[in-house]
Amino acid sequence: MFGIWGHNKAAEITYYGLHALQHRGQDGAGIAATDGKDLQVHKGVALVNDVFKHAEFKELTGHAAIGHVRYPTGGKDSIEEVQPFIFHAKSESVAIGHDGNIMNKAILRDELESQGSILQTSTDPEILAHLIRRNGQEVSEVSILQALKKMVGAYAFLILTEDKIYAALGARGIRPLSIGKLGDAYVISSETCAFDIVGATFVREINPGELVTISDEGIQSTRFTEPQKRALCSMEYVYLSRPDSDLNHVNVHASRKSMGIELAKEAPIEADVVTGVPDSSISAAIGYAEEMKLPYEIGIIKNRYIGRTFIQPTQELREQGVKMKLSPVRGIIEGKRVVMIDDSIVRGTTSRRIVKMLKDTGAKEVHVRIASPMITNPCYYGIDMSTRDELIAANHTLEEMRDMIGADSIAYLSPEGLERAIVRDDSLEQGLCKACMTGEYPVTLKDAGIKMNDQY
Ligand code: AMP
Ligand code: SF4
């Protein structure tokens, strides 16, 4: 997500910001902008470049805008699911973009419907819009704060009206959201890499439980919860974020390299060469090689023109995707004992394919080292790992996984190693969510008023 207030090229800058955030979602992109009188939106089910192929952002005039790239965790693959969503009521309009997952959405939806609201979708932004507008209230700091207090889960919201941008982060700060400045304009982004691209400077992260309001009067901050220890998604460091982003003042590349170093300390192996699965595992592979005093080599090449395989909807398409995406470098692999570093294993598809590919290319041995802990629990907070059934590590022993993946050995980083690689001190800001790896959920189903059900 990206937003800007106070710039005469707001939509254009948002377009560049979304470009930098494209890795966060490839299923759709949209920008909503305001000139103070109206809200306009343009969106499509495609990559940012294709949605704004004819520079459509030029028609989105005004001094403020928000933009969103869609990462699907549910719902249909259609334009109705692409954000920002626009809601109109009386003389007022509001555009909403959202990252994360509202866990108690079914309860809130029932509550709203029993009070007479008619919801068109069950998306988190629509529920937020209805909660804000409940009893005919206007969109204001007060009505937004009331609505946010009812929402349990992980969320980062950007809310644009004709005269303000609001940015809110859930009580534990599971998803990232930062504020920057571009001249006199304020910018907000999920990741700091987008600030660098538009020439903005980082100001600070939005705090857990904080609502920031930006308007012509400047910037204001209120809280809707007491400060709690942050539980920033550790998969942001492991896989999701770009290496040039900083989260909680920790650079993502540096943290990945440290994960590789910790992994080498915990699970060394005799080998000839270390290679990483591009792109997200390269930093960890460099760290592992450095600590082991082994050569780091580019043993696998990525075809840049194929999207992230994980995001394909079916297992069959995902498997096909891996084949098209990665190729071995024969001169590096043939006859060698190879350490293959991957950042994570979710369903096991990527590792199995790559080990086979390396062996087919003549690798003497392939040792798989995973630069994050085993993913054994579902994520309730907006990352697409929502059922235990799909997680290979939740259903198999390490030896079974080694066998299924076809590796000569396999080892994962421990949760303590991950913590050491990322966390710098014991301040409130430096807390991590590792729930999918440890089962310790910062926001529980019970907190959200729901019973364990088949969904999880
Ligand atoms: P899998 O093939 O299902 O085991 O998925 C693991 C691969 O997907 C790893 O190589 C990661 O780089 C990548 N990955 C891990 N987590 C995610 C995620 N939440 N969304 C998309 N890709 C991911
Ligand atoms: Fe991230 Fe895992 Fe926590 Fe989900 S459960 S927010 S993927 S660390």
Side-chain angles (χ1 to χ4, degrees):
M1 276 194 313
F2 187 91
I4 179 161
W5 182 272
H7 197 289
N8 60 4
K9 291 209 168 97
E12 190 167 344
I13 288 166
T14 302
Y15 164 76
Y16 293 119
L18 288 187
H19 252 287
L21 300 176
Q22 181 76 80
H23 60 284
R24 298 186 70 81
Q26 298 85 37
D27 267 28
I31 298 176
T34 185
D35 55 7
K37 290 189 215 87
D38 270 326
L39 276 183
Q40 296 180 57
V41 67
H42 180 79
K43 51 191 187 179
V45 187
L47 297 175
V48 176
N49 234 353
D50 294 326
V51 175
F52 296 94
K53 199 158 39 198
H54 305 294
E56 285 84 351
F57 52 79
K58 294 228 155 86
E59 278 145 42
L60 298 170
T61 52
H63 61 285
I66 62 171
H68 192 271
V69 286
R70 175 172 150 77
Y71 168 87
T73 48
K76 309 179 290 276
D77 205 3
S78 69
I79 188 80
E80 288 91 65
E81 301 281 336
V82 181
Q83 302 182 34
F85 293 145
I86 297 230
F87 305 94
H88 299 285
K90 290 201 198 143
S91 57
E92 190 180 49
S93 304
V94 57
I96 302 181
H98 169 242
D99 265 359
N101 181 39
I102 304 300
M103 292 160 72
N104 61 338
K105 66 173 139 256
I107 299 170
L108 293 173
R109 193 191 159 106
D110 285 351
E111 216 177 286
L112 284 163
E113 285 182 342
S114 67
Q115 289 164 2
S117 294
I118 300 169
L119 281 87
Q120 286 172 8
T121 67
S122 52
T123 57
D124 296 347
E126 188 174 4
I127 290 172
L128 177 66
H130 278 273
L131 285 175
I132 294 172
R133 296 276 316 163
R134 199 142 58 154
N135 308 323
Q137 296 186 106
E138 285 182 0
V139 182
S140 69
E141 209 171 82
V142 174
S143 60
I144 294 175
L145 282 173
Q146 279 169 2
L148 293 173
K149 279 187 185 153
K150 297 199 70 102
M151 306 192 111
V152 182
Y155 55 83
F157 277 113
L158 282 183
I159 304 166
L160 176 69
T161 65
E162 280 96 352
D163 57 6
K164 287 184 182 76
I165 283 188
Y166 302 89
L169 195 61
R172 299 299 302 273
I174 293 172
R175 306 260 62 95
L177 197 61
S178 292
I179 309 175
K181 271 217 108 176
L182 176 59
D184 291 333
Y186 283 97
V187 283
I188 298 163
S189 175
S190 300
E191 278 181 51
T192 59
C193 64
F195 294 157
D196 299 329
I197 294 229
V198 302
T201 47
F202 170 78
V203 174
R204 69 173 177 89
E205 303 227 354
I206 296 189
N207 294 312
E210 182 181 12
L211 174 67
V212 170
T213 307
I214 305 170
S215 69
D216 286 345
E217 275 91 66
I219 185 162
Q220 277 178 1
S221 161
T222 30
R223 306 196 55 92
F224 52 93
T225 60
E226 288 306 309
Q228 294 184 58
K229 188 153 178 86
R230 187 147 193 206
L232 178 60
C233 170
S234 46
M235 286 304 282
E236 291 280 351
Y237 290 101
V238 169
Y239 166 77
L240 263 177
S241 291
R242 248 172 62 156
D244 52 337
S245 286
D246 292 346
L247 302 167
N248 267 344
H249 308 286
V250 176
N251 171 252
V252 172
H253 159 74
S255 75
R256 285 182 190 160
K257 200 171 159 200
S258 303
M259 287 171 214
I261 293 172
E262 293 294 334
L263 181 60
K265 288 181 187 156
E266 290 183 0
I269 186 83
E270 260 185 51
D272 302 311
V273 63
V274 178
T275 194
V277 183
D279 294 319
S280 46
S281 308
I282 306 273
S283 309
I286 293 172
Y288 190 93
E290 198 176 290
E291 182 64 22
M292 291 295 299
K293 304 204 171 30
L294 284 172
Y296 161 75
E297 294 286 0
I298 297 184
I300 305 163
I301 298 289
K302 179 174 166 187
N303 182 334
R304 304 209 168 272
Y305 305 97
I306 293 168
R308 287 186 161 188
T309 52
F310 192 95
I311 283 159
Q312 303 288 350
T314 64
Q315 187 67 9
E316 201 185 347
L317 280 177
R318 250 183 239 123
E319 304 229 356
Q320 184 60 25
V322 177
K323 231 190 266 172
M324 288 158 65
K325 204 169 90 167
L326 300 168
S327 317
V329 181
R330 190 170 291 275
I332 300 292
I333 302 300
E334 206 165 20
K336 303 270 178 52
R337 294 171 300 169
V338 180
V339 183
M340 192 277 271
I341 308 282
D342 203 353
D343 56 78
S344 55
I345 295 183
V346 181
R347 303 174 180 98
T349 317
T350 313
S351 298
R352 187 158 32 87
R353 287 273 165 198
I354 294 173
V355 170
K356 181 167 185 313
M357 183 178 86
L358 296 177
K359 291 239 159 159
D360 289 350
T361 310
K364 206 153 73 181
E365 293 169 13
V366 179
H367 300 279
V368 172
R369 292 292 177 275
I370 305 299
S372 62
M374 283 192 209
I375 297 177
T376 47
N377 300 281
C379 175
Y380 307 150
Y381 309 134
I383 300 301
D384 186 16
M385 312 188 293
S386 63
T387 60
R388 202 165 261 118
D389 284 354
E390 67 190 326
L391 304 172
I392 185 172
N395 299 296
H396 297 279
T397 63
L398 197 58
E399 177 53 23
E400 282 170 354
M401 281 194 279
R402 188 203 57 72
D403 193 46
M404 289 163 84
I405 284 169
D408 293 281
S409 75
I410 185 168
Y412 283 83
L413 183 64
S414 67
E416 298 73 31
L418 182 79
E419 189 100 14
R420 276 194 299 275
I422 303 172
V423 174
R424 296 285 173 265
D425 54 53
D426 59 5
S427 61
L428 279 187
E429 295 84 56
Q430 289 275 314
L432 286 180
C433 172
K434 301 192 289 303
C436 51
M437 306 149 185
T438 62
E440 286 158 31
Y441 288 92
V443 184
T444 63
L445 293 174
K446 200 163 153 232
D447 294 333
I450 30 185
K451 294 195 189 79
M452 192 73 175
N453 61 21
D454 292 337
Q455 193 193 343
Y456 299 114

